[in-house]
Amino acid sequence: MAKLTPDQIKEVKAQGFLLNRGTELFSGRIVAPGTVFSAQNFADMAELAGTFGNGKLICTSRLAVEIPGIPYDRIQEARQFAAERGMRFGGTGAKIRPVTACKGTTCVFGNFDTQALAARIHQQYYLGWDGVKLPHKFKIAVGGCPNSCMKPSLNDFGVEGHRVPAFDRELCKGCKVCQVEKHCPMKAARLSDGKLIIDEALCKTCGVCTGKCPFKAVAHDTVTLYQIYVGGTWGKRTRMGTPLSRLVTEEEILPMLEKTLLWFRENAYQKERLGLAIDRIGADKLEEALFSDDLLARREEILNKEILQRG
């Protein structure tokens, strides 16, 4: 076959197929809803890799699976094969990238069902906004606790589950071996004069102490709240995500994400990541927008407006 043109390479890249260096073969990237593949998915991907690729399955840093070695003239067959089995190639371009989540759903440190939230975001935004062009790529990560295994603070939009200890001093018995003090990884909890004290400056609201006190001096049913980070990046240009000034409730997460996307689309220059736009315009301006409903009220106007070619 004739040498591939740049337009052909660009066309299939938008469909989730990346050129393998030094060849005219491609890696196709399959994305899982909520980062979870089924056993049948892996069986189907193995068959796909053996039929169209070089027989290998490679996990990506965003928990997708790439199948390398696919010839250009077999890409559409591979897409059809995947679609017939309920799978989808994608994950490239100036749009929302595959949503990542830690295993907080099953992890002993997880403060909420991370994979369920990631699946909701995948459905509503990764798929729902598939046709929305953004100024640059936009990465979303969901983390179950401040251990930060999934690095929410290094994504454009990061969600991290927290449990603020609800301490009732009257219920504290001043146990000789305080279970809250014993289990606190930050040494923020300690006994003083026969009563527990929690140092808020040291406490990471990780939730480890939840359920440890037999007398429920630290409530066993502490509500999960969420730290939102915006504008994080990792790589040649690293930026820690800006934490919003307060924790949010579960009901606020998706509206906060949508407002962040709308602000990004309206304010960022072409090829400018969210973090750079925040630094240029000001984190206070973004936070002001996120805690109001103005962006949602102008949603259709923003989505129908072309990004200005600036910068």
Side-chain angles (χ1 to χ4, degrees):
M1 112 176 238
K3 185 175 178 62
L4 296 175
T5 68
D7 284 344
Q8 287 174 312
I9 295 170
K10 182 179 179 181
E11 177 188 9
V12 296
K13 182 178 180 181
Q15 298 168 5
F17 293 85
L18 304 174
L19 185 67
N20 296 159
R21 184 179 68 246
T23 76
E24 290 199 342
L25 304 174
F26 292 80
S27 291
R29 184 177 296 169
I30 294 183
V31 180
T35 74
V36 179
F37 287 102
S38 70
Q40 186 60 52
N41 288 153
F42 274 104
D44 291 336
M45 286 189 290
E47 184 180 352
L48 197 160
T51 303
F52 301 98
N54 63 8
K56 296 178 181 179
L57 301 175
I58 302 174
C59 294
T60 74
S61 62
R62 298 204 67 79
L63 305 182
V65 170
E66 281 192 354
I67 298 169
I70 303 176
Y72 175 82
D73 58 2
R74 301 208 70 188
I75 285 176
Q76 298 314 315
E77 287 181 81
R79 292 183 70 201
Q80 182 177 346
F81 180 99
E84 288 171 353
R85 290 155 180 80
M87 299 184 299
R88 178 186 175 101
F89 287 99
T92 60
K95 57 171 68 175
I96 298 170
R97 293 298 183 86
V99 183
T100 61
C102 72
K103 64 168 197 168
T105 300
T106 56
C107 179
V108 295
F109 297 112
N111 287 322
F112 70 105
D113 189 343
T114 52
Q115 292 163 356
L117 177 60
R120 289 173 61 197
I121 295 173
H122 174 91
Q123 185 66 38
Q124 190 164 334
Y125 293 98
Y126 176 76
L127 295 180
W129 283 46
D130 182 60
V132 177
K133 183 174 174 56
L134 297 173
H136 209 308
K137 68 181 80 169
F138 191 94
K139 297 182 176 181
I140 303 167
V142 180
C145 77
N147 284 343
S148 194
C149 298
M150 194 47 65
K151 308 296 186 291
S153 60
L154 291 175
N155 282 256
D156 296 281
F157 188 90
V159 182
E160 187 174 85
H162 288 247
R163 288 192 179 183
V164 180
F167 175 54
D168 187 336
R169 181 179 173 83
E170 296 303 314
L171 294 178
C172 177
K173 306 298 184 184
C175 300
K176 185 175 180 180
V177 179
C178 172
Q179 294 301 309
V180 174
E181 180 182 30
K182 178 181 177 181
H183 285 89
C184 177
M186 302 307 300
K187 308 303 180 187
R190 61 184 175 84
L191 286 179
S192 178
D193 297 326
K195 289 289 185 179
L196 180 67
I197 293 176
I198 298 177
D199 186 338
E200 293 184 4
L202 294 177
C203 178
K204 298 296 184 183
T205 61
C206 64
V208 171
C209 65
T210 301
K212 297 298 188 293
C213 176
F215 303 103
K216 300 186 179 181
V218 174
H220 288 198
D221 57 350
T222 307
V223 174
T224 299
L225 296 173
Y226 305 85
Q227 178 67 67
I228 302 297
Y229 295 94
V230 289
T233 56
W234 186 254
K236 296 185 183 74
R237 185 173 285 172
T238 300
R239 180 188 189 278
M240 290 298 293
T242 301
L244 297 190
S245 60
R246 69 166 175 84
L247 302 181
V248 304
T249 64
E250 180 180 356
E251 291 73 23
E252 292 178 284
I253 296 172
L254 294 190
M256 200 71 70
L257 170 57
E258 182 153 330
K259 285 185 276 189
T260 303
L261 287 163
L262 291 170
W263 190 90
F264 180 43
R265 180 171 164 91
E266 183 171 51
N267 290 284
Y269 297 155
Q270 284 284 10
K271 299 185 181 302
E272 181 179 47
R273 291 292 293 273
L274 175 62
L276 291 177
I278 293 172
D279 291 340
R280 176 171 54 81
I281 297 170
D284 57 331
K285 297 295 185 184
L286 172 59
E287 178 148 334
E288 181 182 341
L290 295 185
F291 285 112
S292 76
D293 290 327
D294 174 65
L295 288 166
L296 294 180
R298 296 189 296 108
R299 182 179 189 274
E300 295 305 317
E301 170 198 343
I302 295 169
L303 291 182
N304 290 333
K305 182 169 61 178
E306 288 299 318
I307 299 292
L308 298 178
Q309 299 291 333
R310 300 174 290 182

